Amino acid sequence: MATNRTSKKVGEEGQDKDDNATSSSKITQGDDTTGEGTNPGDSSKVTEGQTDEDEVIEDGEPVGDSTCCPVRYSIIALMCIGMVIINSMRTNVGFTVMTILDETAHDKVGTLQALINLPNVKWNTRMIGFLHSVFYIGYLITHLPAGYLATRIPCHRLYGGSILLSSALNLLLPVSIDEISFVFTCVIRFLQGLSEGLLYPSCYGILRHWSTPQERGRLGSAVLTGAYAGAVIGFPLAGFITHYIGWQYIYYINGGAGVLWMLVWVLMSSEKPSHHRRISDSELLYLQKSQGNQVVDFQESWLPWKRIIISPAVISLCFCHFARNWVFILMLTNEPFYLSLFGFNVAENGVYSSLPHILKVLLAFVSGYIADCLLLRSKLRTGTVRKLLTGIAFGVQTLSFFILTFVRSKVAVIVFLTFGVGFGGLAVSGWQINHYDLSTRHASFLVGVTSTIGVMGAIAAPLVAGELTINEDLEGWRHVFYITVGVVAVAAILFMILGSGEEQPWATPPEHIRLLQKTDPLAKRPYKTFTVQGSKRPVEVKTPYNTAAEKDSDNDDAAPVEDHSHEDVAVPNEQKSTS
């Protein structure tokens, strides 16, 4: 499209006044009328006379994409790597405190340098339980506001800033633990929690714009898999470095990786596909057509927060999030300490601690394809698929943790611990992606709500484990696992009863509420595109992006619809003669 444009007005006589409410318009050339108005996000109309130079979308797939890798896949890959880094950092403190609690740690490292570098502090399980929990107290404080901020601030900035700040703070922890004080270490962990509270609401906000309904199961599971992959990398890395070099270096490696990731993220990411500098026209049109009005932002905010909070489907997700965080954070912070009771050395502990998370990553990644396959190739409803995957995940977890209450064999413990943690990965495409089923537009806020309840499990699990294992024996862990069985079982039952896969009534504005779509000056396509008959290029029409709902006949207070009796048409110079 030529950059130099001249505007002229094309009159439209006899146009119904109601058509202006949806910003429809017609473009005439001589006696023929071929153009039709479309809402923002809809693909342009294609006429029979249009040449192959125009972009066409068939069967929901982009045609003629000049890029070897779609930009949305690059964004998803970077989001996944960010999740890996941030969750790898979360294993650092959990592995370090294992060397503090284990009185025989000096016999379990492999080199003199590692022996000399062991932390020289005296902390008990209660102190360490509080250290883990204070992180999630900070996490809780920012989580619900983050759901609201994700509707006001570009989500890619929140996501990147969250990882950058936490990574920078991670670089301070070695000095704080070994040379300053326990209190100062708690302050740093609290600040890390504040920053990471922005992570998941902003993540869901990015996925809203950078995934289609058809791909959301796979792309969503790919990003959320990164959270579990962090432990797969973090535990063996921490074990190897602590065993052979020194525990401090795991903080420097993870923190440095987060800072470097942020540099790449700034260069590669954007808030929306329409803002990205390198996205192709075909991919942009594909995303717009597939997403429809689900990603439309409005000038007048509308958030039915009261109805969301009391929704039975949302309540069931809150319990699921609580159970997920209970299991995940319990193992992320205490798994090395639990396995140290079976006599493994530091390096072995790191490897065995990663096995449950390897299975979790595999099942989380596969769950997206399982869910999409069941939805596309079978007659199962969305709610049935979500409940099936969640039921299998929580069912296996409940059984495995119950078995762990009485087994004492090293092999049996590793096997059932792997099943107990790993099968939680199936729930990624179960209840975790269910937020989008209930409401795509409010998904970020939904995550803020459910995560606020879920983070209470993350706070409670380390405190309960620290109190019950004060004697540092397996008897204390038996009681911890009994509680875990109850938590997971209750969440599974409630989701089976209250869960839903249907869009909720509060997901869209009532008919009497009229919202104006935002005009975004940063968008790559700020104008609507129409095709004029006989033209080889589309003609861009300047129209306000007004997607107001039709006026309710019973509502006398509705705002009047602006009358557009004519439209400004932007025509390239080379097309003046055809207009």
Side-chain angles (χ1 to χ4, degrees):
M1 180 68 66
T3 56
N4 295 324
R5 298 181 175 92
T6 58
S7 297
K8 65 179 182 178
K9 297 181 179 179
V10 179
E12 295 295 340
E13 297 182 1
Q15 186 175 0
D16 195 318
K17 190 173 183 179
D18 290 338
D19 290 340
N20 291 324
T22 55
S23 298
S24 65
S25 61
K26 295 181 180 179
I27 301 177
T28 61
Q29 182 182 16
D31 295 330
D32 296 329
T33 301
T34 58
E36 250 182 26
T38 57
N39 290 329
D42 293 345
S43 60
S44 58
K45 301 288 184 181
V46 181
T47 64
E48 294 180 358
Q50 193 169 350
T51 66
D52 293 336
E53 293 178 6
D54 295 315
E55 301 291 351
V56 184
I57 300 178
E58 298 177 353
D59 300 328
E61 293 295 336
V63 178
D65 196 346
S66 59
T67 58
C68 59
C69 178
V71 171
R72 65 185 183 280
Y73 294 160
S74 301
I75 297 294
I76 295 300
L78 283 173
M79 291 176 67
C80 180
I81 294 172
M83 283 288 188
V84 170
I85 293 172
I86 208 73
N87 283 276
S88 179
M89 283 196 301
R90 292 186 188 181
T91 68
N92 294 170
V93 172
F95 212 90
T96 298
V97 297
M98 180 269 296
T99 64
I100 295 174
L101 293 174
D102 191 352
E103 296 180 354
T104 62
H106 59 279
D107 295 327
K108 297 179 180 179
V109 293
T111 65
L112 180 61
Q113 179 183 357
L115 176 62
I116 295 174
N117 284 332
L118 285 176
N120 185 26
V121 294
K122 300 295 183 182
W123 296 349
N124 58 37
T125 58
R126 286 195 182 100
M127 296 173 67
I128 290 173
F130 179 78
L131 177 63
H132 290 316
S133 294
V134 75
F135 171 90
Y136 293 101
I137 292 174
Y139 196 82
L140 174 64
I141 291 174
T142 55
H143 222 71
L144 191 57
Y148 175 77
L149 290 175
T151 66
R152 295 300 184 203
I153 301 175
C155 290
H156 74 298
R157 296 180 183 174
L158 292 176
Y159 190 77
S162 171
I163 294 177
L164 176 63
L165 181 57
S166 185
S167 299
L169 290 169
N170 206 61
L171 298 173
L172 302 177
L173 280 173
V175 175
S176 175
I177 292 173
D178 209 25
E179 299 183 14
I180 302 182
S181 69
F182 173 78
V183 173
F184 190 72
T185 303
C186 288
V187 171
I188 293 179
R189 291 293 289 163
F190 175 76
L191 294 175
Q192 281 188 299
L194 288 176
S195 67
E196 292 187 30
L198 304 173
L199 193 68
Y200 279 94
S202 60
C203 170
Y204 278 73
I206 297 171
L207 283 172
R208 173 194 171 200
H209 291 288
W210 283 98
S211 65
T212 65
Q214 295 83 2
E215 297 177 313
R216 193 157 287 146
R218 284 166 286 171
L219 299 185
S221 65
V223 174
L224 297 176
T225 295
Y228 305 132
V232 173
I233 296 175
F235 279 130
L237 182 65
F240 178 85
I241 293 176
T242 303
H243 188 74
Y244 292 105
I245 304 175
W247 64 275
Q248 301 97 325
Y249 296 97
I250 61 177
Y251 295 89
Y252 301 142
I253 291 174
N254 282 285
V259 174
L260 292 176
W261 174 90
M262 181 59 180
L263 296 177
V264 179
W265 180 252
V266 169
L267 296 174
M268 298 288 292
S269 68
S270 66
E271 179 187 5
K272 305 173 183 177
S274 59
H275 294 188
H276 203 282
R277 296 185 297 272
R278 288 179 293 276
I279 192 170
S280 66
D281 289 343
S282 60
E283 184 180 4
L284 179 60
L285 290 175
Y286 167 60
L287 288 170
Q288 289 176 338
K289 180 178 180 180
S290 301
Q291 294 168 342
N293 65 358
Q294 293 181 343
V295 295
V296 173
D297 293 321
F298 296 104
Q299 291 175 350
E300 300 176 14
S301 62
W302 176 79
L303 183 64
W305 61 271
K306 291 182 180 179
R307 298 178 66 189
I308 290 175
I309 292 175
I310 64 175
S311 170
V314 174
I315 292 173
S316 70
L317 290 181
C318 290
F319 277 90
C320 288
H321 219 136
F322 184 95
R324 179 263 183 191
N325 279 2
W326 178 283
V327 174
F328 183 53
I329 302 306
L330 176 68
M331 292 294 101
L332 198 67
T333 56
N334 289 279
E335 191 176 353
F337 170 51
Y338 171 65
L339 292 181
S340 70
L341 300 177
F342 294 91
F344 300 117
N345 66 38
V346 174
E348 291 173 339
N349 197 318
V351 173
Y352 293 140
S353 294
S354 69
L355 292 180
H357 302 279
I358 292 175
L359 178 61
K360 196 168 193 176
V361 167
L362 294 175
L363 291 179
F365 187 76
V366 171
S367 70
Y369 289 91
I370 295 174
D372 287 348
C373 182
L374 291 174
L375 291 171
L376 295 175
R377 299 184 182 181
S378 70
K379 297 181 180 180
L380 295 178
R381 299 171 65 88
T382 302
T384 304
V385 173
R386 304 302 184 213
K387 291 181 179 181
L388 177 63
L389 293 175
T390 302
I392 294 174
F394 283 175
V396 174
Q397 285 188 308
T398 300
L399 179 61
S400 298
F401 281 111
F402 176 74
I403 294 175
L404 284 173
T405 61
F406 56 82
V407 296
R408 294 295 181 265
S409 167
K410 289 184 179 181
V411 175
V413 166
I414 294 297
V415 169
F416 287 106
L417 186 63
T418 299
F419 286 162
V421 176
F423 264 83
L426 280 179
V428 167
S429 293
W431 71 266
Q432 282 190 257
I433 208 71
N434 188 231
H435 299 79
Y436 286 110
D437 301 327
L438 304 184
S439 174
T440 302
R441 179 171 288 111
H442 301 310
S444 293
F445 183 76
L446 288 178
V447 174
V449 172
T450 64
S451 295
T452 299
I453 303 300
V455 79
M456 295 180 184
I459 294 172
L463 290 175
V464 171
E467 186 64 33
L468 295 178
T469 61
I470 190 66
N471 295 325
E472 301 181 22
D473 57 11
L474 292 175
E475 182 64 21
W477 278 101
R478 185 166 69 89
H479 296 295
V480 172
F481 291 145
Y482 276 135
I483 296 175
T484 303
V485 168
V487 168
V488 177
V490 169
I493 293 171
L494 287 176
F495 188 74
M496 295 301 111
I497 298 173
L498 303 178
S500 173
E502 304 299 325
E503 184 176 71
Q504 299 300 290
W506 41 260
T508 55
E511 292 183 358
H512 67 278
I513 293 181
R514 305 180 63 245
L515 304 175
L516 300 179
Q517 182 182 341
K518 290 181 180 178
T519 298
D520 195 342
L522 298 179
K524 184 178 180 180
R525 291 178 178 270
Y527 309 126
K528 295 180 180 179
T529 301
F530 304 92
T531 301
V532 178
Q533 184 177 9
S535 170
K536 292 184 178 180
R537 295 172 180 257
V539 175
E540 292 187 341
V541 180
K542 292 183 179 180
T543 61
Y545 281 0
N546 185 353
T547 57
E550 292 185 356
K551 181 177 179 180
D552 188 342
S553 59
D554 296 330
N555 182 21
D556 296 332
D557 297 328
V561 179
E562 185 177 356
D563 183 15
H564 296 282
S565 59
H566 64 268
E567 305 293 339
D568 291 337
V569 181
V571 184
N573 290 331
E574 61 267 29
Q575 290 192 11
K576 290 181 183 178
S577 60
T578 67
S579 302

